[in-house]
Amino acid sequence: MPEGEAKGFGGDASVADALAELLSNKQRKQTVAVGVGDTLVDLSTRLDSLGQEKIELRPVLISSAEGLDILRHSTAHLMAKAVLDLYGPKVKVAIGPAIEDGFYYDFERETPFTPEDFESIEAKMQETVKGRVPFTRKVVSKAEAIALFEEKGEQYKVELLKEIEGDTVSLYQLGDFVDLCRGPHVPNSSWLQVFKLIKVAGAYWRGDEHNQMLQRLYGTAFDDKKRLKKYLNDLEEAKKRDHRKLGKELGLFTISDQVGPGLILWQPKGALLRRLIEDYWKEEHYRHDYELLYTPHIAKLDLWKTSGHLDFYSENMYSSMAIDDVQYQLKPMNCPFHIAIYKSQLRSYREFPLRWCELGTVYRYERTGVLHGLLRVRGFTQDDAHIFCRPDQLEEEIFNILDLNLNILATFGFDQYDIYLSTRPDKYVGSEAHWQKATDALEQALKKKGLAYQIDPGEGVFYGPKIDIKIKDVLGRSWQCSTIQVDFNLPERFEVNYIGEDGREHQPIMIHRALMGSLERFIGVLIENYAGTFPVWLSPVQARIMNITDAQADYCENIYQELRRSGVRIEKDLRNEKLNYKIREAQLAKVPYMLVIGDREAESGTVTVRERSGKNLPPMSVKDFAAKIKEECTAALG
Ligand SMILES: [Zn+2]
Ligand SMILES: [Zn+2]
């Protein structure tokens, strides 16, 4: 054992036999598999089959991430068995892995699965659970396995088998259901008590739209009921917060089939929300000594040859177009434009660092199947910036970027994140010494900022190391957001230079960075994080005026004009409707303040303020209300 305890075993002793001697009963009941070196094996594995005289066994607890993976993948087998038991041999099985938070299994079946089917499948699964059916592993020759699955008509398994290298494969049997699988699995079905089928979706075999469309049944499984319950609650909460649903209800954005998938159309309120973010972003960058650039959406195809995008990035780019017999290309990135601005004049070390930012709209190809609301789109606006500096300035620049980055995220309520430092991959450009220096600079900056981070070995881009920041929303979900990348490649390709102190030409370091990532995606995350209930400074509409009767209409009109002039984002609802009805509509629109106007307010020149929570504030003057809004915005923006 890793703790040092050791025992000798002989004959046909299995891992389970060893654990029975080495672990307490309680520990043993929670151990679902063991790690031997880098691999996980079943408890039923014979010790002598592991082929070592001394074997260190690392118990994998069912509640751990590895344990839950095994549990969920086993539940996928359990579900496939139930589906075949219920719907017979006409159903064909494809693959069924564990995924984050659960598992799925792909089936070929003519009739679509319905929610009623879910109940029958779950009931059938529970039957097997009660039967304590063992998962048995068998190693057979590949030919034998192919024959077996051919006989069952399971052509997907046969296709997979034909591509597997090696002569033997392992099969797992649960009752009469046999699956091609590497394992490991739980010892028997009684481990699989806590599960739930979640949804069904179409999925092409191997993700290729030329292949057969399959039905993907998603489910989840946990080691205890409480964890499942919490997960299902979170899922419900996430559904309520779906930015596509809220985006429609709140009139923020739309996507039109006539315009094209993955292309976002901002409606007035969404456009206002976006402008508020853009204005804040620009001001914050100005305060941090950045200069703003604007660049076009197309450039000559040759530019993208020089940049290397045509060689390394073409699958994400759209076809080129001819203008006066010269080929042009829609931009997938902003970097070459900023380099062109850099190269428009001779640069000296004295100018450094140059910090240039742009809200640059780029276009990248994504398959239709992966497009998703604001989160995966084909045209989006990066909050991009490029910093040109000397090597000795790199660490400080990274520190400054991190500072600005975390400031901006905090303003939007994000103060939980995971930070990754990605180092040199196998294929790379630039010298090893440069990589080392740059990686050290990134690491030093993180340390100086007092930030916890994880190293992602070999996950850097081919042109330089990078820092990625994943933010956590209120539901604890992670979103890839900021990225800071050092680049040795583009300055080389474009022969970017500056005159150093020594009067000679040197190559500057180029940093690419995006803090929010893209405005589309970031706003999608914001909508879900706030559940559409934006703080006052971000609310497209901060207050809505509503009269009790027509008698106050003129007064309402006056204060509407006054508030608008003083910069409050205001709306009016002067319809001849019951007040309660107007209030309910304002609440659904998630407007922070309702100004309720009756005779008393009109006579005294005041407004009665109702918060969206339902709380009423004492009557105040229109001026005081405008001041209150201004104060709240200032406080939020620090
Ligand atoms: Zn399996
Ligand atoms: Zn760039």
Side-chain angles (χ1 to χ4, degrees), residues 450-607:
L451 294 168
Y453 59 92
Q454 298 169 46
I455 304 257
D456 238 349
E459 287 301 308
V461 204
F462 74 93
Y463 51 75
K466 61 169 182 166
I467 293 172
D468 286 321
I469 301 181
K470 285 188 183 171
I471 51 175
K472 287 220 174 102
D473 71 7
V474 287
L475 296 185
R477 296 176 297 177
S478 259
W479 305 90
Q480 167 63 42
C481 182
S482 320
T483 182
I484 306 167
Q485 311 183 346
V486 180
D487 185 352
F488 306 120
N489 183 46
L490 285 184
E492 173 96 42
R493 283 176 165 270
F494 281 97
E495 296 172 0
V496 176
N497 293 315
Y498 68 95
I499 305 297
E501 214 169 342
D502 56 6
R504 277 196 275 225
E505 281 193 348
H506 298 270
Q507 203 172 78
I509 292 201
M510 183 174 181
I511 306 169
H512 311 252
R513 49 115 280 204
L515 308 183
M516 300 188 288
S518 85
L519 282 168
E520 284 72 9
R521 193 176 145 76
F522 192 70
I523 291 173
V525 175
L526 280 182
I527 295 171
E528 300 214 356
N529 189 55
Y530 288 124
T533 310
F534 298 111
V536 172
W537 80 272
L538 259 185
S539 290
V541 178
Q542 293 168 318
R544 188 182 282 186
I545 301 170
M546 40 192 89
N547 56 343
I548 297 176
T549 68
D550 277 342
Q552 303 97 32
D554 286 345
Y555 176 68
C556 286
E557 197 63 52
N558 289 342
I559 59 173
Y560 172 80
Q561 294 299 341
E562 184 179 344
L563 284 169
R564 217 169 163 91
R565 274 195 303 273
S566 61
V568 176
R569 297 189 291 275
I570 188 106
E571 268 180 0
K572 55 190 172 184
D573 182 356
L574 306 183
R575 292 174 302 169
N576 189 10
E577 294 282 356
K578 289 234 166 59
L579 182 64
N580 276 346
Y581 177 77
K582 293 187 189 181
I583 288 178
R584 204 174 56 238
E585 283 206 340
Q587 262 161 349
L588 286 176
K590 309 195 187 239
V591 176
Y593 294 109
M594 292 160 238
L595 305 182
V596 179
I597 309 298
D599 281 336
R600 205 177 35 168
E601 286 79 10
E603 275 155 29
S604 60
T606 57
V607 293

Side-chain angles (χ1 to χ4, degrees), residues 101 227-241 474-477:
D101 295 334
R227 285 177 87 179
L228 174 66
K229 201 169 163 210
K230 181 180 180 309
Y231 175 77
L232 293 175
N233 279 339
D234 285 354
L235 210 60
E236 267 315 299
E237 190 52 40
K239 258 190 213 158
K240 281 187 224 152
R241 289 165 179 264
V474 287
L475 296 185
R477 296 176 297 177

Side-chain angles (χ1 to χ4, degrees), residues 333-336 382 384-386 490 510-513:
M333 290 191 194
N334 305 301
C335 336
Q382 289 183 303
D384 210 354
H386 295 99
L490 285 184
M510 183 174 181
I511 306 169
H512 311 252
R513 49 115 280 204

Side-chain angles (χ1 to χ4, degrees), residues 62-126:
I62 187 78
S63 54
S64 70
E66 278 178 321
L68 281 177
D69 259 3
I70 296 171
L71 175 82
R72 288 166 178 166
H73 175 64
S74 301
T75 312
H77 281 238
L78 177 70
M79 180 175 74
K81 173 175 159 49
V83 167
L84 290 179
D85 284 350
L86 284 168
Y87 308 105
K90 271 195 165 167
V91 179
K92 301 299 167 207
V93 292
I95 52 163
I99 51 173
E100 198 185 345
D101 295 334
F103 62 87
Y104 68 76
Y105 214 115
D106 286 348
F107 300 97
E108 185 194 314
R109 181 185 180 225
E110 259 175 47
T111 359
F113 288 107
T114 63
E116 291 75 54
D117 292 335
F118 282 21
E119 276 172 38
S120 339
I121 297 168
E122 285 172 350
K124 198 83 195 165
M125 289 163 76
Q126 284 298 355

